[in-house]
mmCIF file of all heavy atoms in Angstrom:
data_model
loop_
_atom_site.group_PDB
_atom_site.id
_atom_site.type_symbol
_atom_site.label_atom_id
_atom_site.label_comp_id
_atom_site.label_asym_id
_atom_site.label_seq_id
_atom_site.Cartn_x
_atom_site.Cartn_y
_atom_site.Cartn_z
ATOM 1 N N VAL B 18 -11.158 2.937 -17.742
ATOM 2 C CA VAL B 18 -11.750 1.953 -18.604
ATOM 3 C C VAL B 18 -13.179 2.387 -18.937
ATOM 4 O O VAL B 18 -14.108 2.396 -18.157
ATOM 5 C CB VAL B 18 -11.811 0.590 -17.948
ATOM 6 C CG1 VAL B 18 -12.446 -0.417 -18.931
ATOM 7 C CG2 VAL B 18 -10.373 0.097 -17.641
ATOM 8 N N GLY B 19 -13.423 2.750 -20.233
ATOM 9 C CA GLY B 19 -14.698 3.312 -20.642
ATOM 10 C C GLY B 19 -14.653 4.770 -20.754
ATOM 11 O O GLY B 19 -14.744 5.481 -19.791
ATOM 12 N N LEU B 20 -14.508 5.290 -22.112
ATOM 13 C CA LEU B 20 -14.268 6.743 -22.221
ATOM 14 C C LEU B 20 -15.634 7.434 -22.686
ATOM 15 O O LEU B 20 -15.663 7.976 -23.771
ATOM 16 C CB LEU B 20 -13.218 6.927 -23.183
ATOM 17 C CG LEU B 20 -11.866 6.493 -22.724
ATOM 18 C CD1 LEU B 20 -10.795 6.514 -23.842
ATOM 19 C CD2 LEU B 20 -11.355 7.248 -21.487
ATOM 20 N N GLY B 21 -16.709 7.184 -21.888
ATOM 21 C CA GLY B 21 -18.004 7.836 -22.307
ATOM 22 C C GLY B 21 -18.278 9.065 -21.516
ATOM 23 O O GLY B 21 -17.351 9.898 -21.136
ATOM 24 N N TYR B 22 -19.521 9.364 -21.340
ATOM 25 C CA TYR B 22 -19.954 10.622 -20.639
ATOM 26 C C TYR B 22 -19.381 10.729 -19.237
ATOM 27 O O TYR B 22 -19.205 11.828 -18.741
ATOM 28 C CB TYR B 22 -21.489 10.563 -20.610
ATOM 29 C CG TYR B 22 -22.173 10.900 -21.849
ATOM 30 C CD1 TYR B 22 -22.326 9.978 -22.833
ATOM 31 C CD2 TYR B 22 -22.606 12.257 -22.147
ATOM 32 C CE1 TYR B 22 -22.968 10.234 -24.014
ATOM 33 C CE2 TYR B 22 -23.247 12.594 -23.311
ATOM 34 C CZ TYR B 22 -23.381 11.675 -24.251
ATOM 35 O OH TYR B 22 -24.010 11.989 -25.477
ATOM 36 N N VAL B 23 -19.141 9.594 -18.564
ATOM 37 C CA VAL B 23 -18.524 9.568 -17.238
ATOM 38 C C VAL B 23 -16.934 9.480 -17.278
ATOM 39 O O VAL B 23 -16.307 10.234 -16.653
ATOM 40 C CB VAL B 23 -19.141 8.442 -16.434
ATOM 41 C CG1 VAL B 23 -18.307 8.304 -15.107
ATOM 42 C CG2 VAL B 23 -20.559 8.757 -16.142
ATOM 43 N N GLY B 24 -16.506 8.510 -18.037
ATOM 44 C CA GLY B 24 -15.083 8.215 -18.071
ATOM 45 C C GLY B 24 -14.183 9.325 -18.699
ATOM 46 O O GLY B 24 -13.080 9.646 -18.160
ATOM 47 N N PHE B 41 -8.856 3.596 -21.733
ATOM 48 C CA PHE B 41 -9.050 2.302 -22.477
ATOM 49 C C PHE B 41 -10.537 2.249 -22.879
ATOM 50 O O PHE B 41 -11.383 2.571 -22.135
ATOM 51 C CB PHE B 41 -8.848 1.183 -21.479
ATOM 52 C CG PHE B 41 -7.416 0.984 -20.990
ATOM 53 C CD1 PHE B 41 -6.989 1.722 -19.911
ATOM 54 C CD2 PHE B 41 -6.434 0.298 -21.841
ATOM 55 C CE1 PHE B 41 -5.642 1.632 -19.468
ATOM 56 C CE2 PHE B 41 -5.120 0.257 -21.293
ATOM 57 C CZ PHE B 41 -4.802 0.867 -20.159
ATOM 58 N N ASP B 42 -10.749 1.869 -24.204
ATOM 59 C CA ASP B 42 -12.026 1.684 -24.607
ATOM 60 C C ASP B 42 -12.102 0.683 -25.695
ATOM 61 O O ASP B 42 -11.163 0.498 -26.481
ATOM 62 C CB ASP B 42 -12.654 2.992 -25.136
ATOM 63 C CG ASP B 42 -14.233 3.087 -25.108
ATOM 64 O OD1 ASP B 42 -14.930 2.299 -25.895
ATOM 65 O OD2 ASP B 42 -14.681 3.872 -24.300
ATOM 66 N N ILE B 43 -13.272 -0.132 -25.798
ATOM 67 C CA ILE B 43 -13.389 -1.136 -26.818
ATOM 68 C C ILE B 43 -13.841 -0.575 -28.112
ATOM 69 O O ILE B 43 -13.816 -1.204 -29.142
ATOM 70 C CB ILE B 43 -14.295 -2.297 -26.449
ATOM 71 C CG1 ILE B 43 -15.639 -1.642 -25.881
ATOM 72 C CG2 ILE B 43 -13.662 -3.194 -25.300
ATOM 73 C CD1 ILE B 43 -16.748 -2.798 -25.809
ATOM 74 N N ASP B 44 -14.378 0.708 -28.099
ATOM 75 C CA ASP B 44 -14.865 1.318 -29.263
ATOM 76 C C ASP B 44 -13.767 1.873 -30.077
ATOM 77 O O ASP B 44 -13.254 3.040 -29.721
ATOM 78 C CB ASP B 44 -15.963 2.421 -28.862
ATOM 79 C CG ASP B 44 -16.630 3.018 -30.091
ATOM 80 O OD1 ASP B 44 -16.120 2.827 -31.266
ATOM 81 O OD2 ASP B 44 -17.686 3.703 -29.829
ATOM 82 N N LYS B 47 -13.498 5.620 -31.237
ATOM 83 C CA LYS B 47 -13.148 6.820 -30.346
ATOM 84 C C LYS B 47 -11.701 7.057 -30.145
ATOM 85 O O LYS B 47 -11.299 8.173 -29.884
ATOM 86 C CB LYS B 47 -13.825 6.500 -29.031
ATOM 87 C CG LYS B 47 -15.320 6.587 -29.008
ATOM 88 C CD LYS B 47 -15.953 6.192 -27.700
ATOM 89 C CE LYS B 47 -17.484 6.153 -27.940
ATOM 90 N NZ LYS B 47 -18.204 5.423 -26.889
ATOM 91 N N TYR B 57 -16.049 13.754 -29.015
ATOM 92 C CA TYR B 57 -17.207 13.326 -29.713
ATOM 93 C C TYR B 57 -18.496 13.545 -28.896
ATOM 94 O O TYR B 57 -19.566 13.081 -29.218
ATOM 95 C CB TYR B 57 -17.018 11.821 -30.010
ATOM 96 C CG TYR B 57 -17.154 10.885 -28.824
ATOM 97 C CD1 TYR B 57 -18.329 10.250 -28.482
ATOM 98 C CD2 TYR B 57 -16.069 10.770 -27.912
ATOM 99 C CE1 TYR B 57 -18.549 9.524 -27.308
ATOM 100 C CE2 TYR B 57 -16.195 9.935 -26.772
ATOM 101 C CZ TYR B 57 -17.373 9.326 -26.595
ATOM 102 O OH TYR B 57 -17.495 8.536 -25.385
ATOM 103 N N PHE B 81 -5.561 -3.447 -24.206
ATOM 104 C CA PHE B 81 -5.702 -3.643 -22.810
ATOM 105 C C PHE B 81 -4.503 -4.378 -22.170
ATOM 106 O O PHE B 81 -4.439 -4.376 -20.947
ATOM 107 C CB PHE B 81 -6.990 -4.484 -22.499
ATOM 108 C CG PHE B 81 -8.145 -3.667 -22.703
ATOM 109 C CD1 PHE B 81 -8.698 -3.471 -23.997
ATOM 110 C CD2 PHE B 81 -8.840 -3.021 -21.676
ATOM 111 C CE1 PHE B 81 -9.880 -2.703 -24.157
ATOM 112 C CE2 PHE B 81 -10.022 -2.211 -21.842
ATOM 113 C CZ PHE B 81 -10.522 -2.094 -23.133
ATOM 114 N N CYS B 93 -15.572 2.797 -15.812
ATOM 115 C CA CYS B 93 -16.791 3.550 -16.103
ATOM 116 C C CYS B 93 -17.521 3.048 -17.325
ATOM 117 O O CYS B 93 -17.756 3.760 -18.299
ATOM 118 C CB CYS B 93 -16.366 5.078 -16.467
ATOM 119 S SG CYS B 93 -15.277 5.807 -15.194
ATOM 120 N N VAL B 94 -17.946 1.811 -17.278
ATOM 121 C CA VAL B 94 -18.618 1.196 -18.488
ATOM 122 C C VAL B 94 -20.172 1.204 -18.245
ATOM 123 O O VAL B 94 -20.615 1.434 -17.185
ATOM 124 C CB VAL B 94 -18.109 -0.290 -18.674
ATOM 125 C CG1 VAL B 94 -16.629 -0.238 -19.027
ATOM 126 C CG2 VAL B 94 -18.436 -1.148 -17.495
ATOM 127 N N PRO B 95 -20.808 1.050 -19.355
ATOM 128 C CA PRO B 95 -22.360 1.144 -19.219
ATOM 129 C C PRO B 95 -22.945 -0.018 -18.310
ATOM 130 O O PRO B 95 -22.370 -1.075 -18.292
ATOM 131 C CB PRO B 95 -22.925 0.970 -20.657
ATOM 132 C CG PRO B 95 -21.672 1.073 -21.555
ATOM 133 C CD PRO B 95 -20.468 0.696 -20.694
ATOM 134 N N THR B 96 -24.152 0.320 -17.777
ATOM 135 C CA THR B 96 -24.894 -0.672 -17.052
ATOM 136 C C THR B 96 -26.360 -0.537 -17.456
ATOM 137 O O THR B 96 -27.227 0.050 -16.758
ATOM 138 C CB THR B 96 -24.800 -0.466 -15.469
ATOM 139 O OG1 THR B 96 -24.857 0.867 -15.268
ATOM 140 C CG2 THR B 96 -23.463 -1.065 -14.979
ATOM 141 N N TYR B 108 -21.137 -5.571 -19.285
ATOM 142 C CA TYR B 108 -19.932 -4.718 -19.527
ATOM 143 C C TYR B 108 -18.969 -4.751 -18.345
ATOM 144 O O TYR B 108 -17.792 -4.619 -18.462
ATOM 145 C CB TYR B 108 -20.403 -3.285 -19.810
ATOM 146 C CG TYR B 108 -21.282 -3.200 -21.057
ATOM 147 C CD1 TYR B 108 -22.782 -3.393 -20.994
ATOM 148 C CD2 TYR B 108 -20.790 -2.849 -22.293
ATOM 149 C CE1 TYR B 108 -23.495 -3.308 -22.112
ATOM 150 C CE2 TYR B 108 -21.586 -2.778 -23.392
ATOM 151 C CZ TYR B 108 -22.899 -3.018 -23.337
ATOM 152 O OH TYR B 108 -23.659 -2.952 -24.343
ATOM 153 N N ASN B 111 -17.048 -8.035 -18.356
ATOM 154 C CA ASN B 111 -15.993 -8.064 -19.421
ATOM 155 C C ASN B 111 -14.843 -7.217 -19.037
ATOM 156 O O ASN B 111 -13.778 -7.653 -19.220
ATOM 157 C CB ASN B 111 -16.574 -7.513 -20.749
ATOM 158 C CG ASN B 111 -17.599 -8.529 -21.329
ATOM 159 O OD1 ASN B 111 -17.552 -9.706 -20.980
ATOM 160 N ND2 ASN B 111 -18.422 -8.101 -22.218
ATOM 161 N N SER B 112 -15.188 -6.044 -18.391
ATOM 162 C CA SER B 112 -13.989 -5.156 -17.870
ATOM 163 C C SER B 112 -13.241 -5.893 -16.873
ATOM 164 O O SER B 112 -12.001 -5.891 -16.841
ATOM 165 C CB SER B 112 -14.427 -3.823 -17.418
ATOM 166 O OG SER B 112 -15.399 -3.372 -18.265
ATOM 167 N N GLU B 129 -17.105 2.639 -11.011
ATOM 168 C CA GLU B 129 -18.008 3.797 -10.904
ATOM 169 C C GLU B 129 -19.390 3.567 -11.513
ATOM 170 O O GLU B 129 -20.270 4.363 -11.282
ATOM 171 C CB GLU B 129 -17.305 4.976 -11.529
ATOM 172 C CG GLU B 129 -16.049 5.401 -10.902
ATOM 173 C CD GLU B 129 -15.803 6.912 -10.947
ATOM 174 O OE1 GLU B 129 -16.635 7.593 -11.525
ATOM 175 O OE2 GLU B 129 -14.877 7.354 -10.375
ATOM 176 N N SER B 130 -19.635 2.450 -12.357
ATOM 177 C CA SER B 130 -20.791 2.287 -12.973
ATOM 178 C C SER B 130 -21.961 2.090 -12.029
ATOM 179 O O SER B 130 -21.731 1.345 -11.006
ATOM 180 C CB SER B 130 -20.751 1.067 -13.897
ATOM 181 O OG SER B 130 -19.666 1.152 -14.759
ATOM 182 N N SER B 131 -23.123 2.720 -12.241
ATOM 183 C CA SER B 131 -24.287 2.553 -11.424
ATOM 184 C C SER B 131 -24.686 1.086 -11.361
ATOM 185 O O SER B 131 -24.922 0.540 -12.464
ATOM 186 C CB SER B 131 -25.375 3.368 -11.792
ATOM 187 O OG SER B 131 -24.913 4.677 -12.123
ATOM 188 N N GLU B 179 -20.505 7.552 -9.839
ATOM 189 C CA GLU B 179 -20.294 8.855 -10.501
ATOM 190 C C GLU B 179 -21.578 9.629 -10.325
ATOM 191 O O GLU B 179 -22.679 9.132 -10.106
ATOM 192 C CB GLU B 179 -20.274 8.486 -12.013
ATOM 193 C CG GLU B 179 -20.106 9.655 -12.892
ATOM 194 C CD GLU B 179 -19.014 10.636 -12.508
ATOM 195 O OE1 GLU B 179 -17.952 10.117 -12.306
ATOM 196 O OE2 GLU B 179 -19.393 11.832 -12.328
ATOM 197 N N GLU B 181 -22.174 12.565 -12.326
ATOM 198 C CA GLU B 181 -22.140 13.500 -13.492
ATOM 199 C C GLU B 181 -23.512 14.035 -13.722
ATOM 200 O O GLU B 181 -24.435 13.363 -13.784
ATOM 201 C CB GLU B 181 -21.602 12.658 -14.615
ATOM 202 C CG GLU B 181 -21.271 13.534 -15.839
ATOM 203 C CD GLU B 181 -19.974 14.303 -15.629
ATOM 204 O OE1 GLU B 181 -19.238 14.128 -14.613
ATOM 205 O OE2 GLU B 181 -19.609 15.191 -16.469
ATOM 206 N N PRO B 183 -24.519 16.088 -16.931
ATOM 207 C CA PRO B 183 -24.028 16.668 -18.112
ATOM 208 C C PRO B 183 -24.381 18.073 -18.367
ATOM 209 O O PRO B 183 -25.611 18.403 -18.289
ATOM 210 C CB PRO B 183 -24.502 15.753 -19.286
ATOM 211 C CG PRO B 183 -24.735 14.420 -18.528
ATOM 212 C CD PRO B 183 -25.194 14.820 -17.130
ATOM 213 N N LYS B 232 -25.935 5.445 -4.502
ATOM 214 C CA LYS B 232 -26.242 5.881 -5.906
ATOM 215 C C LYS B 232 -27.615 5.569 -6.201
ATOM 216 O O LYS B 232 -28.384 6.317 -6.812
ATOM 217 C CB LYS B 232 -25.198 5.291 -6.816
ATOM 218 C CG LYS B 232 -25.523 5.534 -8.288
ATOM 219 C CD LYS B 232 -25.156 6.883 -8.649
ATOM 220 C CE LYS B 232 -25.581 7.271 -10.099
ATOM 221 N NZ LYS B 232 -25.299 8.632 -10.431
ATOM 222 N N HIS B 286 -29.323 7.849 -19.136
ATOM 223 C CA HIS B 286 -28.707 6.520 -18.862
ATOM 224 C C HIS B 286 -29.030 6.128 -17.420
ATOM 225 O O HIS B 286 -29.016 4.937 -17.125
ATOM 226 C CB HIS B 286 -27.317 6.607 -19.072
ATOM 227 C CG HIS B 286 -26.589 5.238 -19.062
ATOM 228 N ND1 HIS B 286 -27.305 4.138 -18.797
ATOM 229 C CD2 HIS B 286 -25.335 4.900 -19.183
ATOM 230 C CE1 HIS B 286 -26.399 3.130 -18.829
ATOM 231 N NE2 HIS B 286 -25.236 3.642 -19.065
ATOM 232 N N CYS B 287 -29.568 6.989 -16.569
ATOM 233 C CA CYS B 287 -29.584 6.700 -15.076
ATOM 234 C C CYS B 287 -30.974 6.461 -14.632
ATOM 235 O O CYS B 287 -31.337 5.342 -14.185
ATOM 236 C CB CYS B 287 -28.931 7.718 -14.259
ATOM 237 S SG CYS B 287 -27.097 7.822 -14.535
ATOM 238 N N ASP B 291 -31.576 2.691 -13.530
ATOM 239 C CA ASP B 291 -30.846 2.278 -12.299
ATOM 240 C C ASP B 291 -31.821 1.678 -11.221
ATOM 241 O O ASP B 291 -31.494 0.660 -10.553
ATOM 242 C CB ASP B 291 -30.145 3.315 -11.616
ATOM 243 C CG ASP B 291 -28.958 3.871 -12.583
ATOM 244 O OD1 ASP B 291 -28.748 3.134 -13.596
ATOM 245 O OD2 ASP B 291 -28.293 4.885 -12.214
ATOM 246 N N ARG B 358 -29.844 8.890 -25.099
ATOM 247 C CA ARG B 358 -30.121 7.713 -24.454
ATOM 248 C C ARG B 358 -31.448 7.723 -23.725
ATOM 249 O O ARG B 358 -31.690 8.595 -22.952
ATOM 250 C CB ARG B 358 -29.036 7.240 -23.563
ATOM 251 C CG ARG B 358 -27.787 6.876 -24.337
ATOM 252 C CD ARG B 358 -26.576 6.466 -23.630
ATOM 253 N NE ARG B 358 -26.090 7.746 -22.777
ATOM 254 C CZ ARG B 358 -25.113 7.684 -22.025
ATOM 255 N NH1 ARG B 358 -24.517 6.560 -21.739
ATOM 256 N NH2 ARG B 358 -24.756 8.764 -21.407
HETATM 257 N N1 NAD V 501 -24.010 9.677 -18.144
HETATM 258 C C1 NAD V 501 -24.304 10.161 -16.962
HETATM 259 O O1 NAD V 501 -24.732 11.202 -16.784
HETATM 260 C C2 NAD V 501 -24.044 9.222 -15.728
HETATM 261 C C3 NAD V 501 -24.166 9.797 -14.477
HETATM 262 C C4 NAD V 501 -23.957 8.963 -13.346
HETATM 263 C C5 NAD V 501 -23.635 7.592 -13.564
HETATM 264 N N2 NAD V 501 -23.538 7.057 -14.770
HETATM 265 C C6 NAD V 501 -23.119 5.691 -14.847
HETATM 266 O O2 NAD V 501 -21.775 5.567 -15.356
HETATM 267 C C7 NAD V 501 -21.637 4.428 -16.139
HETATM 268 C C8 NAD V 501 -21.151 4.775 -17.461
HETATM 269 O O3 NAD V 501 -22.047 5.715 -18.111
HETATM 270 P P1 NAD V 501 -21.743 6.604 -19.331
HETATM 271 O O4 NAD V 501 -22.888 7.543 -19.429
HETATM 272 O O5 NAD V 501 -20.271 7.124 -19.289
HETATM 273 O O6 NAD V 501 -21.779 5.476 -20.533
HETATM 274 P P2 NAD V 501 -21.295 5.667 -22.107
HETATM 275 O O7 NAD V 501 -22.065 4.628 -22.761
HETATM 276 O O8 NAD V 501 -21.226 7.121 -22.371
HETATM 277 O O9 NAD V 501 -19.743 5.269 -22.051
HETATM 278 C C9 NAD V 501 -19.261 3.979 -21.703
HETATM 279 C C10 NAD V 501 -18.051 3.664 -22.491
HETATM 280 O O10 NAD V 501 -17.532 2.366 -22.084
HETATM 281 C C11 NAD V 501 -17.098 1.732 -23.242
HETATM 282 N N3 NAD V 501 -16.997 0.306 -22.987
HETATM 283 C C12 NAD V 501 -18.034 -0.590 -22.983
HETATM 284 N N4 NAD V 501 -17.539 -1.833 -22.632
HETATM 285 C C13 NAD V 501 -16.196 -1.681 -22.384
HETATM 286 C C14 NAD V 501 -15.167 -2.447 -21.939
HETATM 287 N N5 NAD V 501 -15.388 -3.737 -21.670
HETATM 288 N N6 NAD V 501 -13.913 -2.023 -21.827
HETATM 289 C C15 NAD V 501 -13.620 -0.682 -22.009
HETATM 290 N N7 NAD V 501 -14.619 0.230 -22.516
HETATM 291 C C16 NAD V 501 -15.893 -0.242 -22.609
HETATM 292 C C17 NAD V 501 -18.005 2.137 -24.387
HETATM 293 O O11 NAD V 501 -17.463 1.960 -25.617
HETATM 294 C C18 NAD V 501 -18.220 3.657 -24.006
HETATM 295 O O12 NAD V 501 -17.326 4.494 -24.657
HETATM 296 C C19 NAD V 501 -22.952 3.752 -16.210
HETATM 297 O O13 NAD V 501 -23.058 2.750 -15.169
HETATM 298 C C20 NAD V 501 -23.975 4.862 -15.829
HETATM 299 O O14 NAD V 501 -25.155 4.421 -15.269
HETATM 300 C C21 NAD V 501 -23.740 7.822 -15.919
#
Side-chain angles (χ1 to χ4, degrees):
V18 177
L20 298 170
Y22 283 81
V23 167
F41 296 88
D42 205 293
I43 51 167
D44 186 344
K47 290 176 187 160
Y57 73 97
F81 288 80
C93 310
V94 295
T96 42
Y108 298 88
N111 290 340
S112 312
E129 295 215 356
S130 308
S131 315
E179 178 52 54
E181 191 73 7
K232 176 71 188 177
H286 188 358
C287 296
D291 301 350
R358 289 174 296 178

